[in-house]
Amino acid sequence: MDFTYPIFDIKFMLLNSNRSYMKKIALLLAFLTVSLQVILAQTREITGKITSADDGGAISGVSVSVKETTLGTISDMDGMFRLNVPQDSKFLVFSFIGMETQEIAINNQSTFNIKMVSGRISVDEVIVTAFGIQRKPKEMGVATSNVENQELTQAGSSNVMNGLSAKVSGLQINTINNSVNPDTKITLRGNRHFLASNQALVVLDGVPISATYLNSVNPNDIESINVLKGASVAALYGNDASNGVVIVTTKKGDKGKLTVKISNVTTFEQVSYMPNLQNRFGSGAGEKVGVEDPNYTFWIGPDRNTDPYTSYENQSFGPEFNGQHVILGGKLIDGTYQMVPYSAIKNQKKDFFNIGVSTQNDISVSSGDDNGNFYLSFQDVRKTGTIPNDENHRTGARMAASKKYGIFSADYTISFTQTKTSTSGGDFNQDRPVYWNVLNTPAQVPLSKYKDLVNNPFATLDGYYNAYYPNPYWQLVHSRNNQLRDDVLGSVNLSLKPVKWLELSNRTGLVFNSSVNHSHKDEANFSTYSGTDPWGAGNTASSSTHYAGSSHDEMRKTMILTDDFLASFNHVFGLISVKGILGTSIYSQNYEDQSEDASGLVIPGLYNISNHTGVPQVDQSTQKRNSLGIFADATFGYKNYVFLHVSGRNDWDSRLARANRSFFYPSADASIILSDMFPAIINNSVLTFLKIRGGCSQTGQIALSDWYGTLQSYSAATGFPYGSTSGFALANMLGNPLIKPEKTTEIEMGAELSFLKNTIHLETNVYQTNTKNQTIPATISAATGFTSALINAGELQNKGFEIDLKFSPILKIGDLKWNGGINYSYTESKVISILPGMNEIPIPISATSGGNSATTVSYATVGEQFPNIKVTDVKRDPEGHIIVDKITGLPSKQTAIVQVGHGNPNHILGILTDLNYKGFRLAAVAEYRGGNVIYNAIGGGSDGGGIDFIGISGHSAQNGRQSFIIPGSVIETSPGVYIPNTTALVASTGRSFWGDSDYANTQRAYLTSAAFWKLREVVLTYEIPVNKYFGGKILKMAEVGIFGRNLLMLRPKTNDWTDPEFNNSSSSINAVGYTDTSQSPPTRLYGFNLKFTF
Amino acid sequence: MNNKILTLFLSLVLLGSSCTKFLGVDEVNPNKASEVSPKLLLPAALTNVVSVLDNPRNFEFIYLWYGLWSVSSSYSQPAFLVQYRLLNSNYQDAFSNLYTYGQNFTEIENTATNPKDAGYKAIAMIMKAYIMQNLVDIWGNVPYSEAYNATSGILKPKYDDQKTIYEDLILKLDEAIKMIQGLPSDATEIGAANDVMFHGDLNRWAKFANTVKLRMLIHQSGMTGRDTYIKAALATTASVGYLGAGESALVNPGFLENDTQMNPFYEVFFKGDGTGQIDAFSYYFAGKDAVDFMAANADQRLGRFFLPYSGSNYAGNYLGQNVAVHPPLLANQCSKLGYSKGNPGYLIGTPTEAAPVITDFESLFIQAEAVVKGYIAGDAKALYNSAVNQSFAYMGLTASDASTYLSQQKSAVNYDLAPDKINLILTQKWVALDGVAPIEIWTDYRRSGIPTFLHFSEDNTKANDTPPVRLLYPQREISVNNENVVAVGNIDPFKSKIFWQNR
């Protein structure tokens, strides 16, 4: 029917053109009728099915047309279409909102099974912003970024955050530490707060959750993640949104028949590299050995007092390896002792670590029609770690469904996840981590032989060779941190659309989390024989002859209830469209924590508080907060190319004192689609789309770590109660009722451009945020009766720009299609002010370095980037050369700490590539970060702190431990006059230098650039053409793939320590730029996955 | 159906608007008390005061400068002490702690508003005066009138004139004594357990207040033209009397041998689990001046203050002695501080013994001096003998030991033979107060120059011939309350004397 138009036109023309030649016309008509019949005879029927490439589900409503004609149809409910096309038609065009338009050559084919791919570039898709408000990209005055499920899960990550790395400009994901349950930190556009959290707010199906909760979510359940970079769209979330918002939307179930998906991901995790370790020198501490018993010590070289071999030593400052057989440790009570070849064992430390295996099994069922849908999924993830015995087991289920009854609709989602984690804890002696005790193993020690703690006499507490640190295998068995965590997340959304222009909706959300931690350390009891120090080590294995055992138990519970009510108005007045929203938001959070610590285990292996001696330490904390927000939001559109968006929200929050409880923040943004406004500018073959936009906004954040920080408080005074005498004393921090929220003001400008018919898409943003009224615990005059008070002061400024460039495609040859993208962001956080008369505050860390408490290297310093890294250093001349003593060649420590850089990267560059050929897909993601520095305490810097001190590092064996001149050092000949040092050699380069010198005991020597390149993801998948083999009746889709994560990492040569992405504190702490042995070594991951859709 | 849904929506909206109670839920802190009664504040406040004033770490400089202690030769001599070069960072914990603990007495004052609670109020006023007296004796001008006013918004209190503070404290003590004398018949009983100093005996508190007053007035006795003021001030409360023998002001909440629960003096030297000493025990040694003085007078307290380094031999060092003039004794040739595990009556007594605030013997020494100076009536010799006797008793010795000592025919001991009674009283007080009241030792020396035989540092690079006469203002005060510290004027640790110092 459609294709009769051209013929009719011709007839019409002919009929009009010449009335007088009726016969001829009749003839012609006859001819034309014939030719029409010919044409009709030359058409043929084409059929096919359109499905989604993401999940295999049928897609209805896809427009199917013949290229360069007006012939076309749309797909039906089952994704089926039928179309008659002229014989000579060349191409079919398939298009759908939010999907990539496809052109397919017809040739002689008559059946087309088309997979529609979610469009990376589509200006017509819908963006989910705050409270599920859907806005068109055109309207958006600030930057947002979307990541779809496929991108997120392509490399088999079982952790949502790891799947986001390098994919969105301005978003920084840091793995704080590798573990079976890794801690990750998520920040958007840098830091805004000195002390309060800088982590982005995560909103899961409309319910705000803390970023750490995201780790309990099954990545396969996620439909998409929308990153609201610009605060003006996030501002509606009130006082928790100042760090940007990440909106996570889970799957709801697609229209169509019942779909069942089954998948398996198996991942192997392997230590990718160790710090640079030396393999040249064995045990020895350079200490003068008291008993010159050749069974225990020997020396090589003329000076017996330097570098003797010491059989029970943890440090590696002994003589060079020579292959001879030496005693290791000392004699046991029965007179036996072990002999080992005095030569380095290859990969001895790396081999301590296992290949971790993670098995992830998923099943999901979904279905739906016009009035409702449902989605049900189960996931089971079992992981073992690189550290032996570490394991993690996560099981979860999610259910989501929706239903529509006329003007009323309802949907809900609920999920339950249980996570069990077991990791090894510190040792019984100095509470050192496993890694530390592994590193304290000289290279000739056959570490892997000490696994059997019971039957191998040299692996027992008494028999272990090391007199200073225990066998690391001990803590794998006897020191465990076990956690059981339950998460329930749910929401119910009810909505009512009484008239076309009005919608009322209410969403109630629930987040429940409970975690039970049981940590224990078993008793360690040395025999009387070894307690007497029979080897003359001056130490029994680890100072203590007896450790009584201890346990820590903690129960935590968090409950968040939210309720958001929204009334939305939508109307078009002529050329002007108006979309208005009025809403209320209620947030209520309850937190409960109880813990107990006890020592002195009575019956071994029974970890219960009743099985302890002495009085257990108990602690309890309850925190409650309620807040209410009322907001209004309006978007005005003019001619569909100029948009103005304004919003305002007022919050009342129980954490603040009554007088300051209410606070308001506004936002506004605008966008202009220049290419629609002035069509002339796209009247060329290059530019397709041009939009400019800008916005400004304000958000507040209440930065009280103690939610009762505005109140005076009294607690039991030190030592009290003494028997029945109780005593309370006032807290030293003044409860300041005047505390206000920290206020972040953001200004943002941006542009979006598309070139060459949307094949190149460029998006760029510039922003600046200023966060004032930082909440700082300020020191005040003690004569006030208090030593500190929380006050609002100080300002942190954050500037940056982002560029997102996407090519779709870069290249297309036949079935070969290559897409790619580059995203880059520049971020600079700078401290503008702190307090009058105060230019610096330390940013505390809550970490320990081994058994010793670590001192922060992060500061907020006026005029410097945040966090500013300051470390201890040796004395230097004005040009930065190390000043050494003209006799000893040694530098000396300077009292002041020096500024050496900042902890947060300025530059983050992500590169994405995606190559498709028929069913094959090869994709990769690489990331670069740079501009920041890291202090590698794993190397050294504080007394006894690192692997230089141990002498096991390659760094400490440079120059073969011969005398040397400290490179670039100078000598002060007279005050202020320095000459290059060519004469003063450091004579002893063994333990005395790496252990005791000011060079090794200052942090500057272990400071390196934190820059890196990482090949984050490489993925190869093949979609098996199941239709061809199985007819597509039962099995609709099958895919196999292999992938790798962090396969490659490039760092500057100076950083031969560890992954600079790590940090020695938890993700909630702002003090970054410090790594030590509490993080396990970096790993690479690889594996395979299988996906089936039925 | 639609009506029901509308009702549901409307009720949700109403839920949101009835929010006053909803938001008020957290006004009570569930973790910590927001209000505490005086009876719970008092025991902690009293214990905290002794934890500052009886902590030898805070006042070691006095013991070391004034010949009572020295430093073990196994540790390097603390150069700043040897050279008298004080910094703003030295010994400043007491400043912060005395004020923050003082705040707890302010809280008691503020909460004990009911006339029935006047006893609590009086105790708080007396203790605040006692704390302030110590602050003035160490730092001179300090915040007073604007101190303890953070809740009124004063975060930078001004520094008041020391003499004005002292005079006002005398009035405050008078007021407190009057309050105790005029207690209503239905006054709240201050339980023995809550008052960890005098077990609820308010008459003893009045005597204590009067003793503090006498202590402050005797400090001013060297000032010219001050006698009239002193006598007038003493006359108003003469009837109350002073702490006598056996009436020592000692604090003991029930000290236990546990970390954080021990006697504050003991805690510096020994671990709470009974397993042994902390470095401090091997850090401090006997002072040669003290050893020599006691040895010369056959003082049995020598074996209580110090331990013999071998047999019954005692020896000490001077702080900062010149190697060429006085070669220092090695650790094994020198006496350690007195200690005998589990036995009271030694300098480092026991973990559970009470901590002194003002001992009876100090009160008796002060009274003896006041009698000699004609401020109060009494028998100076009897007071002196009683003071020495009580000191012996405190050191675990008997009354006959004391009388043997006192009856020696030596002018340094025997009241009758002493040519200068004040010199006798203050020299004996110097020894007796070792480990008990360091600030008084310092104050007595600064106002009188007694003992006269002390050996000061022989270091060539010392900043001054004699030790500083005050501490510098704390660094943190300079940072956070700068304008008020600056307003006090330039502080010279050797010349900026406390107002009562007339030498």
Side-chain angles (χ1 to χ4, degrees), chain A residues 868-940:
Chain A
N868 189 25
I869 306 294
K870 293 179 97 172
V871 295
T872 53
D873 194 8
V874 291
K875 288 179 182 153
R876 288 170 192 267
D877 74 2
E879 272 127 53
H881 301 115
I882 294 174
I883 303 167
V884 297
D885 184 89
K886 63 172 184 270
I887 309 293
T888 63
L890 289 169
S892 58
K893 189 172 179 166
Q894 56 170 289
T895 43
I897 49 171
V898 296
Q899 183 179 325
V900 284
H902 52 271
N904 228 41
N906 295 120
H907 311 276
I908 300 181
L909 175 67
I911 298 176
L912 294 89
T913 150
D914 187 342
L915 196 66
N916 287 280
Y917 178 72
K918 293 195 172 159
F920 288 97
R921 175 164 183 261
L922 176 65
V925 179
E927 186 179 22
Y928 167 81
R929 289 185 199 172
N932 52 333
V933 295
I934 187 107
Y935 163 51
N936 301 283
I938 188 174

Side-chain angles (χ1 to χ4, degrees), chain A residues 541-560:
Chain A
S542 303
S543 306
S544 49
T545 50
H546 180 244
Y547 173 76
S550 65
S551 69
H552 170 84
D553 302 275
E554 186 160 9
M555 295 174 100
R556 261 178 261 158
K557 196 188 83 179
T558 306
M559 170 85 105
I560 300 170

Side-chain angles (χ1 to χ4, degrees), chain A residues 724-919:
Chain A
S724 58
T725 305
S726 292
F728 279 73
L730 196 59
N732 281 348
M733 186 186 279
L734 175 65
N736 183 356
L738 304 174
I739 283 296
K740 287 183 267 186
E742 299 186 355
K743 272 222 162 140
T744 305
T745 311
E746 180 173 271
I747 303 172
E748 165 173 349
M749 304 253 285
E752 273 177 65
L753 296 95
S754 288
F755 304 97
L756 303 174
K757 296 188 176 165
N758 290 349
T759 53
I760 301 174
H761 187 79
L762 173 71
E763 202 173 324
T764 168
N765 313 299
V766 191
Y767 65 86
Q768 179 178 321
T769 67
N770 286 68
T771 307
K772 293 184 187 175
N773 285 344
Q774 302 268 347
T775 305
I776 301 171
T779 305
I780 58 172
S781 167
T784 60
F786 300 89
T787 51
S788 66
L790 277 182
I791 56 154
N792 287 118
E795 181 178 356
L796 185 59
Q797 187 182 71
N798 210 359
K799 280 195 285 201
F801 63 91
E802 293 148 359
I803 298 169
D804 283 271
L805 189 61
K806 287 174 185 169
F807 302 94
S808 116
I810 300 172
L811 197 68
K812 193 182 166 184
I813 307 165
D815 287 336
L816 181 77
K817 192 172 163 192
W818 182 24
N819 290 338
I822 294 173
N823 61 68
Y824 169 78
S825 53
Y826 178 82
T827 321
E828 193 183 297
S829 305
K830 197 170 152 189
V831 179
I832 304 293
S833 64
I834 296 178
L835 271 168
M838 189 190 282
N839 284 321
E840 189 166 272
I841 51 169
I843 306 302
I845 48 176
S846 61
T848 52
S849 171
N852 309 324
S853 63
T855 313
T856 187
V857 295
S858 298
Y859 296 82
T861 312
V862 172
E864 302 300 333
Q865 291 199 43
F866 177 85
N868 189 25
I869 306 294
K870 293 179 97 172
V871 295
T872 53
D873 194 8
V874 291
K875 288 179 182 153
R876 288 170 192 267
D877 74 2
E879 272 127 53
H881 301 115
I882 294 174
I883 303 167
V884 297
D885 184 89
K886 63 172 184 270
I887 309 293
T888 63
L890 289 169
S892 58
K893 189 172 179 166
Q894 56 170 289
T895 43
I897 49 171
V898 296
Q899 183 179 325
V900 284
H902 52 271
N904 228 41
N906 295 120
H907 311 276
I908 300 181
L909 175 67
I911 298 176
L912 294 89
T913 150
D914 187 342
L915 196 66
N916 287 280
Y917 178 72
K918 293 195 172 159

Side-chain angles (χ1 to χ4, degrees), chain A residues 1014-1028:
Chain A
K1014 278 189 187 177
L1015 185 56
R1016 292 265 183 208
E1017 299 180 351
V1018 179
V1019 188
L1020 177 65
T1021 57
Y1022 176 60
E1023 193 188 326
I1024 301 160
V1026 287
N1027 288 351
K1028 212 162 155 185

